[in-house]
Amino acid sequence: MIQLTRQQLAFIAIVLLTYAAVWVDTLFGIFSFLGLGALKVSLLYRLTITVIILVMMFVYQNILSWYMKFMLLGWAFLLWVLTWPAGDLELVTQVNHILRLLYPFGLGLLTYKLLSTFPQFSQRTLAGIGHYGWVVGVFVVFSAFTGLGLESYGEHAFGIKSFYFAGNDTGLAALLALCCLFCVLYYQPSPLRFGAILFCLSGLILMGTKAGWAGALLVSFSYLIVFLFFKKTQGSVGVMLKGATVIGMVAVVAFAASIIVPNYDRISYQIEQFQALAAGQNPRAELIQAADRHFTDYPDQLALIGNGDRFDAGVGERYFVTFNNTLGTTTNKLVEQDWYDLRGHYGMPFALFVTLGHVAFLLLAGWQWITRPRVISFTLLLALSLFMGHAMLAGHAFLSGQSGGLAGVLYGLLLARTRRSG
């Protein structure tokens, strides 16, 4: 019988929380592409982690676990209020929401417990998050050359999301991974790690999302600046890092051009979207207008307790009828801005409570960068800033198992580093 030490078990847990995530998402996408979508391996994976998180939430007594308990209690109270006296909410939808909201914080708690006991796995954890990005990149490049997989926008615009159904979720997860890949390259330079960055960047460009393109440029230039100023990058290692980064960016741009130029007519969609952003238009403007109409119908209720999944139905009806001239539509529709969706579902107090939890980690990352300016501190701050920015502008963050899961691991790493420095 094989007996594992606590350190070996911790290592396996880190691998399952980080390296395994991208493979279960990829397998689910491939199964679905082959008509085997009933094999929901990614759902089983995250549901298993969620069960462990719920147990830990009640076993451990610290600020984070109590925050999660109060979130669960607040949700239960709101559910009781919203279902009285009619009881016409979709319970499955509401349970799915609260489990998704708890997921990043629960992974933060789980990762913190692992890394506070075994801090030697911190670099492995970063590499595991980075693993998500380059694996996605490999499959997106594969789809670009073979034609197998899914398009991001269908026939009317350029973009390939390979076997990943949630393009925005996958894109944000890849951006968080890209930050970690650059960080690992800084501490452990090697051609393989540099190649992983190239694949991740290529995937982000080929996916064709606005956030992916803008985020890839922001992250790449940010780390180029970091490599210019940190002491470790002043010697021969620094020359290699800076040179490799510049050459890599040029190579990725050339590769992207070779793919995009033949499809120039199809990138007009992205050009129009960027022009709208430059003019100050919110990328979710039409959905926000639909939500605002729903808010005006239930001003007091939505301000205090929300309207549950009836909010989604109201947004869907107004969005499809008003902007798409589709009558008789009863499709539920999220606003796809996490702040709006939280307010609409559960009211302002609960939305503020959840959002401030994420803001607290972002502020902690900023404080750690100010007090301990290291590349890993910069990585945590940049990645969590991207996560929060995406949540406020494009959604697909707080409720996303993919990006929310990776952000949760970063939360745990941040807490473990704070404890050691404190």
Side-chain angles (χ1 to χ4, degrees), residues 91-373:
L91 182 60
V92 173
T93 301
Q94 299 306 313
V95 172
N96 179 52
H97 272 200
I98 189 59
L99 293 181
R100 285 173 177 266
L101 290 173
L102 288 170
Y103 193 69
F105 300 108
L107 271 177
L109 178 63
L110 180 54
T111 306
Y112 166 69
K113 288 299 179 181
L114 288 169
L115 296 182
S116 60
T117 306
F118 302 99
Q120 65 270 29
F121 294 141
S122 294
Q123 285 291 322
R124 178 60 61 188
T125 301
L126 280 173
I129 297 174
H131 185 78
Y132 200 107
W134 75 258
V135 171
V136 167
V138 167
F139 277 96
V140 172
V141 170
F142 168 80
S143 295
F145 282 103
T146 64
L148 298 175
L150 305 170
E151 293 183 320
S152 298
Y153 304 103
E155 292 294 332
H156 74 279
F158 170 80
I160 303 160
K161 58 183 180 181
S162 189
F163 302 105
Y164 306 99
F165 287 92
N168 282 305
D169 300 57
T170 305
L172 178 56
L175 283 174
L176 301 182
L178 182 62
C179 295
C180 295
L181 286 172
F182 271 111
C183 185
V184 173
L185 177 69
Y186 173 83
Y187 288 107
Q188 300 172 341
S190 77
L192 285 177
R193 293 184 178 90
F194 176 64
I197 288 175
L198 294 185
F199 271 114
C200 186
L201 284 170
S202 300
L204 284 165
I205 291 172
L206 290 171
M207 288 179 75
T209 64
K210 301 181 295 296
W213 287 2
L217 285 173
L218 173 64
V219 172
S220 299
F221 279 112
S222 296
Y223 278 97
L224 181 59
I225 294 171
V226 167
F227 291 167
L228 286 171
F229 286 100
F230 271 82
K231 289 183 178 180
K232 182 179 177 179
T233 62
Q234 299 303 314
S236 58
V237 173
V239 172
M240 185 198 76
L241 286 172
K242 287 176 279 191
T245 303
V246 172
I247 294 171
M249 290 176 64
V250 171
V252 169
V253 169
F255 167 72
S258 69
I259 299 294
I260 293 174
V261 169
N263 298 280
Y264 181 77
D265 292 339
R266 296 180 65 202
I267 69 169
S268 59
Y269 172 79
Q270 284 90 346
I271 294 174
E272 292 172 0
Q273 293 291 309
F274 277 116
Q275 289 172 341
L277 284 174
Q281 182 178 338
N282 191 297
R284 303 289 184 232
E286 292 182 352
L287 284 165
I288 288 173
Q289 290 179 41
D292 286 338
R293 289 190 181 90
H294 193 76
F295 279 127
T296 59
D297 291 342
Y298 307 93
D300 297 329
Q301 177 179 334
L302 284 170
L304 290 175
I305 61 172
N307 205 13
D309 48 89
R310 292 186 291 260
F311 173 74
D312 297 343
V315 171
E317 179 184 355
R318 287 161 176 79
Y319 174 75
F320 285 107
V321 172
T322 304
F323 296 105
N324 295 279
N325 298 316
T326 305
L327 299 176
T329 300
T330 57
T331 303
N332 288 5
K333 183 70 175 175
L334 290 172
V335 181
E336 298 180 8
Q337 275 193 340
D338 288 339
W339 171 248
Y340 260 89
D341 288 324
L342 281 171
R343 285 173 56 203
H345 272 265
Y346 304 114
M348 181 74 75
F350 187 83
L352 194 61
F353 182 77
V354 174
T355 303
L356 286 178
H358 293 285
V359 171
F361 280 103
L362 179 59
L363 292 176
L364 182 60
W367 176 250
Q368 191 171 110
W369 164 246
I370 293 171
T371 56
R372 298 181 66 198

Side-chain angles (χ1 to χ4, degrees), residues 9-124:
L9 288 172
F11 176 79
I12 293 172
I14 291 294
V15 169
L16 291 175
L17 291 178
T18 54
Y19 288 89
V22 68
W23 290 108
V24 295
D25 290 337
T26 305
L27 281 175
F28 173 66
I30 293 174
F31 287 154
S32 299
F33 186 76
L34 296 175
L36 302 172
L39 300 175
K40 298 184 181 297
V41 289
S42 58
L43 176 63
L44 179 62
Y45 167 78
R46 290 188 173 88
L47 188 59
T48 302
I49 294 176
T50 300
V51 171
I52 296 171
I53 285 170
L54 292 174
V55 172
M56 291 187 65
M57 181 177 71
F58 290 100
V59 169
Y60 291 104
Q61 309 300 324
N62 57 26
I63 294 176
L64 184 54
S65 67
W66 276 107
Y67 171 79
M68 294 171 63
K69 291 170 192 171
F70 279 118
M71 187 191 300
L72 184 61
L73 183 64
W75 168 82
F77 172 75
L78 288 170
L79 201 65
W80 173 72
V81 173
L82 287 167
T83 54
W84 185 87
D88 59 345
L89 287 183
E90 292 288 342
L91 182 60
V92 173
T93 301
Q94 299 306 313
V95 172
N96 179 52
H97 272 200
I98 189 59
L99 293 181
R100 285 173 177 266
L101 290 173
L102 288 170
Y103 193 69
F105 300 108
L107 271 177
L109 178 63
L110 180 54
T111 306
Y112 166 69
K113 288 299 179 181
L114 288 169
L115 296 182
S116 60
T117 306
F118 302 99
Q120 65 270 29
F121 294 141
S122 294
Q123 285 291 322
R124 178 60 61 188

